[in-house]
Amino acid sequence: MCGIVGYIGDKEAAPILLENLKKLEYRGYDSAGLAVYNRDKIEVRKAEGRISRLEEILKGEEPKGSAGIGHTRWATHGRPSDINAHPHADCSGEFVVVHNGIIENYLELKEWLESRGHTFRSETDTEVLPHLVEEFYKGNSSNGGFELAVREAIGRAEGSFAVAIMSQREPDRIIVARKNSPLIIGLGDGENFFASDIPALLAWTKKVIVLDDGEMAILTRDGVRVSTFDGDLVTKDILDIKWGPGLIEKGGYEHFMLKEIHEEPRAIRDTLAGRINGRTGEVTLEEFELDADYIRQLKKISIVACGTAYHAGLVGKRVIEKLARVPVEVELASEFRYSDPMVGPDVLTIVISQSGETADTLAGLREAKARGSRVLAITNVVGSSVAREADDVIYTWAGPEIAVASTKAYVAQLVSLYLFGIYLGRRTGTLNASDSKRLVEEIRQLPQHVDMLFGRHEERVRDFAKEFAGCEDVFFIGRGLDYAVSMEGSLKLKEVSYIRAEAYAAGELKHGTLALIIRGVPVFALATQLDVYEKMLSNIKEVKARDATVIALAFEGDETIGKLVDYVIHIPRVDSLLTPVLSVVPLQLFAYYAAVARGCDVDKPRNLAKSVTVE
Ligand code: G6P
């Protein structure tokens, strides 16, 4: 996730671009850059680091000019560096581009462009765009050629993008286009703006146009012309934004946590992007390859992580064991390191970390490496310590997570573990092509299922949360993967609302804490694992017999469970292996709304840090 901005008018562009970029820093902050049309050429300035660093570098030397584009980066393809920072240009420096999103077919396009003589400077996927425009502009440089070249270029790009392009020969226009990444145009008087998000525009104008997927626009000082990628003109509604300043970086949400829960469908899509072969349904993890000899000698997988990432690991264990039939152990990183762990060359260690900087996880990674184990990192931050020190990396593309309690990163970790499980299962021979294809198809449907959960259940969950916000104890029970998700649901509630919560393997209640289940205690009972469904019903009866208030999570069409419990939240019917991605959503929302009802500081809970860099 990155942020892009632009300005064309009669004021100096650079200070406006910098100001507006700062409002988008939540979208990424590992490097920043801008391009301004300065007299007869486009001047590009960019640097690794936060926007404030770029500002310092430019102090007193901002490029002069009244049209420009800017970018704040959250590295995806290519580590954070001066070269990989945006804007990017073609060979001649004539076309300059900023981009938010992922060009999935960039390798193919890059090869083609290189065969036609283009030279690339960065490791980014974005750089194919200015080169494509350059390529299509050749022989098309008459009037309107810039626009035609852009149309042709974006027509070739697959994936997601919000993109802005300037041409040295056409200083009085900026072209923007959108597919699957947000882009908002701000309308001024004799000046126009654009940005990835409304907050970056509000200091200048309240009148905005929201571009839809498949639309592009040409911004000049006096107007904005919107058309489809095919060139048909589109008449857009002009919206009048009435937000107060508090809601600004949160994109209209009251808290980052809620915003990030709502970003889960996008996090899933981005994490899948480019990793599934659309034709065969096979998973391709271009980042690494486990060869046949390595897999043959592989005795065990050891997953090491903390907090929410550890809970993702618990799901990963079941998934990998089921699909690839390789034994998996999951250890808390803080325990692993001092446990004289049994890992070596025949064990693959997977470390999972949103931030990639958690000291315990990093120490676990080093311990595993020191014992000769190959280490695969699943992390959300490009260039983080964990990413740099691991042998291989699978990035989760959840985008920056600001709220301390992890939500969208957890979901993206689950998706990465599914991809890994399928990848390994195909190579150990335990997952056949048709089962893999079916599973992949179901995974691709998950984003729309999550969207549907928001639509159908968010208000109800908010009501439950208000009703139970005064409770002292809440229980979460489930079997198999439902138990793993119960642990995450319980952690989320404790982290943000400070309500004591306990997750229990449903079959284990009777061996332990059943005495704590008394009249009115809320129990979330997850019943999505069909192989243990009947057993789960028995466990639900056990808690109902003690007068607990039971909220069940079950598949749509399950008529039985409603007769046993007080409330049911139905989730779409998917393969039981995939339910964690769906069942965790109501639990995250419950934790969020319970915390709000109790007046807690949701995004910065007491005594917790987003990234704990001490052991
Ligand atoms: C901290 C955070 C948790 C997080 C854990 C692991 O304790 O408060 O929310 O799950 O660290 O973080 P990581 O960045 O390694 O995933």
Side-chain angles (χ1 to χ4, degrees):
M1 195 157 98
C2 304
I4 66 172
V5 298
Y7 173 76
I8 183 161
D10 55 6
K11 302 190 180 83
E12 282 300 325
I16 296 176
L17 297 175
L18 286 168
E19 212 39 55
N20 295 357
L21 279 177
K22 283 186 210 154
K23 306 265 170 41
L24 296 183
E25 205 162 23
Y26 75 89
R27 301 178 67 86
Y29 36 73
D30 62 43
S31 38
L34 49 80
V36 172
Y37 192 86
N38 189 357
R39 281 184 214 105
D40 53 353
K41 64 176 179 30
I42 297 174
E43 206 172 311
V44 175
R45 309 294 296 273
K46 54 187 191 175
E48 186 187 343
R50 292 190 172 234
I51 296 158
S52 53
R53 173 147 188 267
L54 178 69
E55 205 169 23
E56 248 164 54
I57 293 171
L58 291 182
K59 205 152 233 147
E61 291 176 30
E62 290 98 351
K64 299 279 171 228
S66 57
I69 57 182
H71 189 270
T72 182
R73 181 164 188 250
W74 173 263
T76 57
H77 292 68
R79 75 206 143 78
S81 70
D82 290 354
I83 297 262
N84 288 336
H86 296 217
H88 291 285
D90 64 322
C91 302
S92 62
E94 178 163 352
F95 300 102
V96 175
V97 169
V98 289
H99 164 226
N100 163 216
I102 298 174
I103 308 291
E104 286 175 25
N105 58 338
Y106 83 100
L107 281 174
E108 201 180 291
L109 291 170
K110 189 170 174 180
E111 249 169 55
W112 179 70
L113 287 160
E114 280 173 338
S115 75
R116 299 183 66 84
H118 293 257
T119 311
F120 283 76
R121 297 182 193 92
S122 75
E123 303 156 329
T124 65
D125 53 333
T126 301
E127 201 186 333
V128 298
L129 292 171
H131 289 281
L132 280 174
V133 177
E134 179 183 33
E135 180 65 28
F136 298 128
Y137 190 70
K138 285 180 204 161
N140 208 356
S141 53
S142 57
N143 222 358
F146 174 36
E147 185 181 337
L148 286 177
V150 171
R151 262 184 223 294
E152 184 118 26
I154 57 179
R156 299 287 175 104
E158 287 167 17
S160 60
F161 51 81
V163 67
I165 307 155
M166 293 174 78
S167 157
Q168 197 140 278
R169 293 201 208 174
E170 305 204 20
D172 298 320
R173 55 176 62 197
I174 300 173
I175 303 184
V176 297
R178 159 185 178 151
K179 184 179 166 197
N180 294 329
S181 295
L183 194 64
I184 320 289
I185 294 170
L187 305 174
D189 191 9
E191 56 185 2
N192 289 302
F193 308 78
F194 68 84
S196 301
D197 200 353
I198 293 171
L201 303 171
L202 288 185
W204 313 99
T205 177
K206 301 272 190 270
K207 302 227 173 301
V208 306
I209 289 174
V210 179
L211 274 199
D212 283 308
D213 285 339
E215 289 177 350
M216 58 189 276
I218 297 181
L219 279 74
T220 59
R221 289 180 173 80
D222 303 321
V224 173
R225 179 160 61 83
V226 181
S227 61
T228 63
F229 288 177
D230 296 331
D232 299 326
L233 283 184
V234 182
T235 312
K236 300 290 293 182
D237 290 337
I238 298 175
L239 309 180
D240 199 2
I241 303 297
K242 296 193 174 74
W243 291 351
L247 291 183
I248 282 183
E249 327 71 61
K250 293 167 193 151
Y253 290 96
E254 216 178 311
H255 297 99
F256 281 111
M257 182 176 173
L258 187 60
K259 174 170 180 274
E260 288 162 6
I261 295 171
H262 276 265
E263 284 172 347
E264 285 172 355
R266 191 200 44 74
I268 301 170
R269 277 192 201 101
D270 285 355
T271 301
L272 292 175
R275 288 169 168 165
I276 292 172
N277 181 319
R279 196 174 42 80
T280 60
E282 294 290 346
V283 169
T284 47
L285 294 171
E286 72 190 30
E287 303 97 328
F288 80 111
E289 183 61 51
L290 296 179
D291 62 39
D293 287 342
Y294 179 78
I295 292 174
R296 212 168 296 123
Q297 60 87 51
L298 189 61
K299 295 273 178 318
K300 187 179 82 174
I301 291 174
S302 177
I303 298 183
V304 178
C306 306
T308 292
Y310 168 74
H311 291 158
L314 294 175
V315 174
K317 169 184 164 70
R318 297 269 177 166
V319 170
I320 297 166
E321 287 184 344
K322 172 104 182 166
L323 298 177
R325 305 307 293 157
V326 176
V328 182
E329 282 173 1
V330 194
E331 278 262 28
L332 289 165
S334 53
E335 290 294 317
F336 174 83
R337 184 179 175 196
Y338 300 105
S339 65
D340 192 7
M342 291 171 63
V343 298
D346 54 1
V347 175
L348 173 68
T349 303
I350 302 181
V351 294
I352 309 176
S353 173
Q354 186 286 128
S355 62
E357 300 296 344
T358 301
D360 286 323
T361 309
L362 199 54
L365 178 158
R366 289 177 183 151
E367 184 66 37
K369 274 189 96 168
R371 289 171 187 251
S373 174
R374 181 166 170 175
V375 177
L376 163 66
I378 296 181
T379 181
N380 200 35
V381 181
V382 175
S384 58
S385 305
V386 159
R388 277 186 276 117
E389 293 194 28
D391 299 294
D392 309 285
V393 185
I394 297 177
Y395 284 110
T396 50
W397 298 125
E401 199 177 55
I402 312 285
V404 168
S406 184
T407 52
K408 62 176 180 172
Y410 170 78
V411 166
Q413 285 159 359
L414 298 185
V415 170
S416 303
L417 287 160
Y418 290 131
L419 290 175
F420 176 76
I422 294 170
Y423 172 93
L424 190 61
R426 292 292 294 134
R427 279 154 188 79
T428 54
T430 47
L431 181 67
N432 66 40
S434 71
D435 285 346
S436 157
K437 196 165 182 188
R438 181 191 48 78
L439 212 50
V440 159
E441 271 317 309
E442 286 206 38
I443 293 173
R444 289 172 118 168
Q445 303 300 316
L446 291 173
Q448 64 210 57
H449 290 328
V450 175
D451 267 328
M452 198 217 66
L453 286 173
F454 296 141
R456 291 210 189 142
H457 298 303
E458 185 161 354
E459 273 188 35
R460 270 182 84 216
V461 172
R462 188 172 55 195
D463 292 344
F464 294 151
K466 277 190 197 149
E467 186 179 335
F468 299 124
C471 289
E472 292 201 349
D473 294 292
V474 176
F475 281 79
F476 293 81
I477 61 171
R479 286 171 171 258
L481 285 173
D482 282 340
Y483 173 44
V485 177
S486 297
M487 292 177 78
E488 178 56 12
S490 150
L491 175 67
K492 222 59 339 171
L493 186 65
K494 284 183 278 201
E495 278 181 327
V496 297
S497 77
Y498 320 136
I499 296 174
R500 213 161 23 202
E502 186 142 15
Y504 237 83
E508 186 65 13
L509 263 185
K510 58 185 179 296
H511 301 297
T513 55
L514 207 46
L516 297 178
I517 307 285
I518 51 173
R519 175 177 289 278
V521 166
V523 177
F524 280 87
L526 282 64
T528 71
Q529 298 303 299
L530 297 181
D531 52 342
V532 286
Y533 179 74
E534 296 299 332
K535 304 277 174 218
M536 188 62 205
L537 291 188
S538 308
N539 300 137
I540 289 175
K541 287 178 195 157
E542 284 162 14
V543 294
K544 267 321 290 175
R546 276 128 191 114
D547 282 333
T549 303
V550 179
I551 305 149
L553 267 72
F555 281 137
E556 267 162 10
D558 180 338
E559 304 292 338
T560 319
I561 209 157
K563 299 183 188 117
L564 300 178
V565 303
D566 301 271
Y567 309 98
V568 188
I569 297 172
H570 283 115
I571 64 165
R573 206 168 262 277
V574 292
D575 190 296
S576 285
L577 216 52
L578 305 181
T579 57
V581 173
L582 303 180
S583 47
V584 79
V585 177
L587 304 187
Q588 292 170 336
L589 288 170
F590 180 78
Y592 169 76
Y593 284 113
V596 171
R598 289 163 69 94
C600 302
D601 187 353
V602 181
D603 286 336
K604 294 192 184 68
R606 192 168 75 202
N607 298 347
L608 266 190
K610 181 77 187 150
S611 171
V612 183
T613 52
V614 289
E615 269 192 68

